[in-house]
Amino acid sequence: MVNGAVSAAAKEVDRFELMLMHVFRIEGAGETVDERMAAVRDTLKLSGWRECEPVKRPQQSELAQPSVEQLHRYQEAMYFHPFVQRLLYGGQDLYLFKRENVQALTVRYREWNGELWEAGLLVRDCELAVCAPDAVVLTLYLAWPDEAKRPTVKQVQRLLDTLRRAYPPYFTPDGSEPLTKFSPGHCLHQVSLNWTSAVDPMDEHHARNEPTAGTTNFESCQDFWLGWPDADDAGESFPLAAHLRELLKPLRCEPMHIGDQADSLRLVQLGDDRAFTLAYVAINEVRDFVTRSRGDFIRLGCLDDPGANLLPYAADFLRDFEANHCYDCFWYAGKELDSGYYPSRIVQTPYSMLYLGDNRDEDFFVDERAGALAHFRGAYRRMCLVAVAQRALLLNTAWHLAQLDTEREKPDHLARLQRFYGDFLRFTQRAWFFEVSPQMQGQELFLRQQTHLKTRELYEEVRQEWKDVLEVAQLEQTARFNRQASVLTQVAAILGFGSLIVGVLGANFLEIQGNKSQVVFGVPLKVELMWRGVELGGLMISLVLLLGFGCLAYWGWRRIKKGLESATTHSVTGLARGRV
């Protein structure tokens, strides 16, 4: 390793904060989106989660001396377009919950040489966003304590690489002989949560769903197995770290077991082991750090673990890294630095957004009131939440489409298809947009984030899938009603032929001669009266059969018309509007 790389990896980081966004799908608990979201809200209300009230216009009495929180929420909300404000703060399609009884998180990691190091992080916020339709985003906001010893770049790289993992992607032997012990790759070895008692212990409904005050330890190497689906499980699932399962309580994250109720509420993880990460790193003389060690800068931007190589990837592969991944609106160079400007830059990848700047820039980058740090904690956090939620909702829609394809033979297939299509229209009308802010910087950052997440391509793919599904459903429904119409036509032909015969038999085409009598069952009857009775009976039977045929034909016509309208209304409307 070069000396410059060594000194860069050992350089101290003055301020370090990060937000981890884990995404889940809601499963069970009702037939409609509103029923499932209501089930999640009711479950969370019986625990330590507190539902956040929608942002409201402050009262006249509050305008004289507004709180700092009110000013920050106002600044955050005004960064977005009104339709984005309606989604984030309207309280209809996105509900926010906060957990206030977790204070700190302590992590332990063992290096390759066996050295064990420990880091304690403050939990600034633990938030749960419930998004319609059927997505949940857990945001864990962590910060390095100001009073603690400052971490090095190498330690920050290690934390960025390991904290975001929801489960170990692989295991490696720890070097023992024989090989009986294994260590989780790219994963923490132990996590401890420090709880406070924010729930009244006398409240049974709340206390039984919440941990007691103190510290809860989780061995990542062992506890993650609790989230892995067994052979007897009825549904698919990913393993999930024990401390994340503890934070999500009372929501269930384990896979569904055989024998469980089909409508039982649970969360299923969307994506892989990496949570979307929003990080803030402040370093003294940041431009000098990036210039001397481009490799460590790229490792920070890509959330990679420390390495001994000059670059983490091949030089040709990284040739356009800055152009493709760095937003350099404030990355000053040359004479601009002599004018007193401090550089800062934003690095975006499909799974992260890093805000890197100079710790000496007190007027902008480290300003908690209205500077870059305030934007990181407010507007950028919400912007990334919208981008991550959009992708989660599209992935959830694609999953439902795959499930519906396996249930095409069920009698309620068309009704379920129409219901989920209505959910997709609800998403496109309320939560799908290409632009979130009137600010140019917000527009560019959101566009770049959507590009890295490939959300627009995913939307077009899901939209095309809906077209195909609706066309197939329409063809199948048309063929089904054509078969029913054919059967009704055959029945009508038989009834019409029978009516014709009865009508002929019932009509008096024969001339009755005389008024002779005939004994029938010992009773003498006039022949003329007998034929008149047959005629009258035949006419009555003909009228009844014709009336029955008319009712049957009308019922069949109404059924065919209603079926065709229900099968084509949504697809035709969607195609006309360009939504499907």
Side-chain angles (χ1 to χ4, degrees), residues 87-107:
L87 171 67
L88 289 173
Y89 315 109
Q92 293 183 349
D93 293 276
L94 191 146
Y95 301 94
L96 295 177
F97 290 82
K98 289 184 181 294
R99 178 183 281 282
E100 299 176 341
N101 58 342
V102 54
Q103 280 187 328
L105 181 142
T106 304
V107 298

Side-chain angles (χ1 to χ4, degrees), residues 330-352:
F330 302 107
W331 189 243
Y332 301 113
K335 294 182 178 180
E336 295 173 318
L337 294 177
D338 299 334
S339 302
Y341 291 105
Y342 293 100
S344 62
R345 74 192 325 179
I346 295 176
V347 185
Q348 293 172 291
T349 70
Y351 45 83
S352 67

Side-chain angles (χ1 to χ4, degrees), residues 494-510 531-546:
I494 295 173
L495 292 177
F497 184 70
S499 300
L500 179 63
I501 294 176
V502 174
V504 171
L505 292 177
N508 185 13
F509 292 110
L510 302 176
W531 280 106
R532 296 300 179 190
V534 171
E535 178 184 350
L536 180 61
L539 289 175
M540 292 180 64
I541 294 175
S542 299
L543 290 175
V544 171
L545 291 176
L546 288 174

Side-chain angles (χ1 to χ4, degrees), residues 16-33:
F16 173 55
E17 299 182 3
L18 77 159
M19 302 178 195
L20 307 173
M21 296 183 180
H22 295 273
V23 185
F24 303 89
R25 182 182 76 247
I26 304 173
E27 195 169 281
E31 291 292 331
T32 65
V33 172

